[in-house]
Amino acid sequence: MSVLIAAVEEGSLSAGARRLNSPVATVSRKVSDLEGLLGTRLLVRTSRRLELTEAGRDYIEAARRILEQVGEAERAAAGEYNEPRGDLVVTAATDFGRRHLRPLATEFLAAHPKINLRLVLGDQSLNLVEEHVHVAIRVGHLADSSLLASRVGWAGLVACASPAYLARRPAPRTLDELREHDGVTFRSLTPFRIWTFERDGAPLVVEPRPRLVVNDMALAVQAALDGAGIVRAISYNVADEIASGALVPVLQAFAPKPTPISLVHPGVGLVPLKVRAFLTWMTPRLRERLDRPLPHEAAG
């Protein structure tokens, strides 16, 4: 299993052999022996790189989990350590990672000197098992029932603008008035790009004129701070700016219901000590950072 994983992660048998400090012939034989034992092909050897077959993809996911659990069990049985250690991979949305996870990650590493942390930030949800990710921070309702989740906060969608913009253009009081305003529009692969409101209990999509379109939320918020127009952002992206008065919420009576922010991890097998340490340490700290009223709650 270890040889197969090394070859796949490095992209070739020769690169896997270098990683394992083993002859290429030995690596090739071990992979062939494993395929013979299983009675199926795991790899397709092309001129450019190794490709996993469908059976290979399923097998390598299971192999990674098994090897991690075996290593954990062996170290515990041998009394090798009584503190968490090893590499830990955590994923989150880009702006959430920048605003909340990054500062806490530094404190976490100081408290756990034998853990190495890799943060994978992006606006597409990764498959935790396939991508070998230990923990994810997800915003929204969870569709995958195989994941274990712990809620750490709530995220609302907030339309807001700078006082300078609202001095030039009075704040919209209705959704119809919003259509006449300048908008800073965030375009991405996330569902939060859509300007969805609620009126009389029904969802309604209404957008201002897209005067500025960007694919980065931090840039969109900065443009709104500069007076470019009304921006629609997840509440944690503008909480500090709203608290300071740099941005002013509008149309909060039409804001959709907030969605949960959760720490999630695969629910298969034993949870490694390093993962338990991260969840135990991070959960109360994220709740503390996110424990502030959403703009419509503060107003009402």
Side-chain angles (χ1 to χ4, degrees), residues 233-296:
I234 304 176
S235 54
Y236 60 71
N237 285 327
V238 291
D240 293 339
E241 291 79 1
I242 289 174
S244 69
L247 290 175
V248 179
V250 300
L251 298 172
Q252 284 307 105
F254 302 98
K257 294 179 176 61
T259 58
I261 305 173
S262 306
L263 274 172
V264 302
H265 62 96
V268 180
L270 297 173
V271 179
L273 182 59
K274 60 189 177 185
V275 174
R276 296 201 303 270
F278 183 85
L279 296 173
T280 300
W281 192 94
M282 192 63 68
T283 297
R285 289 165 176 81
L286 279 176
R287 285 175 177 165
E288 182 179 357
R289 289 180 70 92
L290 300 171
D291 184 22
R292 64 175 74 189
L294 298 176
H296 67 281

Side-chain angles (χ1 to χ4, degrees), residues 154-173:
W154 294 92
L157 288 172
V158 185
C160 51
S162 70
Y165 175 82
L166 296 177
R168 300 194 312 269
R169 302 284 307 278
R173 293 167 297 176

